[in-house]
Amino acid sequence: MKPLILITNDDGVRSPGLRAAAEAVADLGDILIAAPHTQQTGMGRAFPRAEDTGMIEEGTMEIRGRSVPAYAVHGSPALAAAHGILELAGRKPDLCISGINYGENMGAVLTCSGTLGAAFEAVSHGMPAIAVSLEADLHIQRSNDYGEAGWDNSREILHIWARQMLEEGMPEGVDILNINVPAFPDRQGAYRITTQSRQNYFEFIKPGKRDLRQPFALKSRLYVDEETLERDSDIYAVYIDKIASVTPLNMVMSVELRTRPR
């Protein structure tokens, strides 16, 4: 039996990046697409509730000459993954792929990421996941008007790692591979194994004087402190060296406490 691969994202079911992810792995197994019906960037692993939460629009998508089931789930990226796994897949998927996302998910900001939120949800159901993101300008990362992007490098790197995960499984202690790809790489298909940076990468800007009674959206900017940036980190690879980063992550956030309070 062919492996079953669940494809999801946080940009919405109409995102060209979602199609690119499915195209990248179409030859590796059976494909099931279950993604949010609208843009859900920045939702993390949230489970918000609305009147339409849980509604699912059935459809198909043509991927490399074959028709693939594609479901638009009313809900967050994590809910889309959960419905895909529990309700829409006829059997447990062997791998979840979340992406290809418009915009990097690196450093401390990845805890905000809906792309990673969907991947962590898949892990909670006992399956490995790959999150894939492509460098993109901030102004298009939350947009419903998907911009033009070059997917070839992301597709190539995703195919390499998805094939390896399906054939060999995840390395011991690893639940998710977080892949970030520069928009204009120095070398096509090249990547580096990295660690997660402690820097924010994207940060909120302090608001000026405003009417606190009125709605307001904090604005963000990209900021990297190159002097303190870790050379083995995801941000250094993508931002400085223009090479794709592959960062192994796991579900457990606890660390050993070496000193005890007195």
Side-chain angles (χ1 to χ4, degrees):
M1 183 180 295
K2 291 183 178 180
L4 177 60
I5 304 170
L6 172 66
I7 312 287
T8 189
N9 72 354
D10 73 354
D11 286 330
V13 74
R14 291 181 294 276
S15 170
L18 184 76
R19 177 181 292 275
E23 291 171 344
V25 298
D27 65 329
L28 299 179
D30 295 325
I31 305 297
L32 170 69
I33 294 171
H37 82 298
T38 58
Q39 172 67 261
Q40 295 285 316
T41 292
M43 290 294 288
R45 198 185 163 196
F47 298 102
R49 301 295 175 182
E51 289 186 2
D52 64 338
T53 298
M55 290 175 53
I56 299 176
E57 301 170 21
E58 299 183 53
T60 59
M61 191 178 295
E62 291 296 315
I63 302 295
R64 298 201 183 278
R66 61 175 165 143
S67 184
V68 170
Y71 297 91
V73 179
H74 290 235
S76 67
L79 278 172
H83 281 284
I85 294 163
L86 297 173
E87 188 174 17
L88 302 173
R91 54 191 166 96
K92 183 178 177 179
D94 298 279
L95 176 66
C96 174
I97 293 173
S98 185
I100 301 169
N101 187 63
Y102 279 89
E104 313 89 294
N105 285 301
M106 304 188 294
V109 79
L110 69 80
T111 57
C112 307
S113 164
T115 304
L116 270 297
F120 277 112
E121 179 62 23
V123 170
S124 77
H125 293 271
M127 71 192 61
I130 300 176
V132 194
S133 304
L134 177 66
E135 184 181 20
D137 290 338
L138 266 171
H139 74 276
I140 71 168
Q141 292 186 24
R142 292 178 178 268
S143 173
N144 288 306
D145 298 322
Y146 304 109
E148 294 292 326
W151 304 108
D152 288 350
N153 196 36
S154 301
R155 276 193 294 248
E156 180 178 345
I157 295 170
L158 172 56
H159 184 273
I160 290 169
W161 283 99
R163 183 184 61 203
Q164 181 167 324
M165 293 306 98
L166 290 169
E167 291 177 354
E168 302 177 14
M170 279 286 186
E172 184 177 356
V174 178
D175 294 320
I176 296 172
L177 293 178
N178 183 33
I179 300 175
N180 285 274
V181 182
F184 302 102
D186 285 345
R187 289 177 291 157
Q188 183 80 12
Y191 58 83
R192 178 186 302 159
I193 307 298
T194 56
T195 61
Q196 179 189 346
S197 175
R198 285 183 171 271
Q199 292 197 21
N200 271 325
Y201 192 65
F202 296 121
E203 64 178 16
F204 285 129
I205 300 169
K206 180 180 173 63
K209 187 175 181 181
R210 68 180 185 91
D211 184 348
L212 299 181
R213 297 167 296 179
Q214 297 300 314
F216 182 82
L218 286 168
K219 293 179 173 57
S220 300
R221 66 169 182 165
L222 190 159
Y223 175 74
V224 175
D225 183 349
E226 295 187 27
E227 289 188 5
T228 62
L229 184 62
E230 310 93 328
R231 293 184 64 89
D232 62 350
S233 70
D234 47 7
I235 296 176
Y236 199 100
V238 175
Y239 182 81
I240 302 293
D241 286 344
K242 303 301 179 186
I243 187 172
S245 71
V246 180
T247 308
L249 306 173
N250 71 34
M251 193 76 161
V252 179
M253 296 185 182
S254 63
V255 297
E256 181 183 355
L257 188 62
R258 298 185 183 276
T259 58
R260 299 186 182 277
R262 297 179 181 178

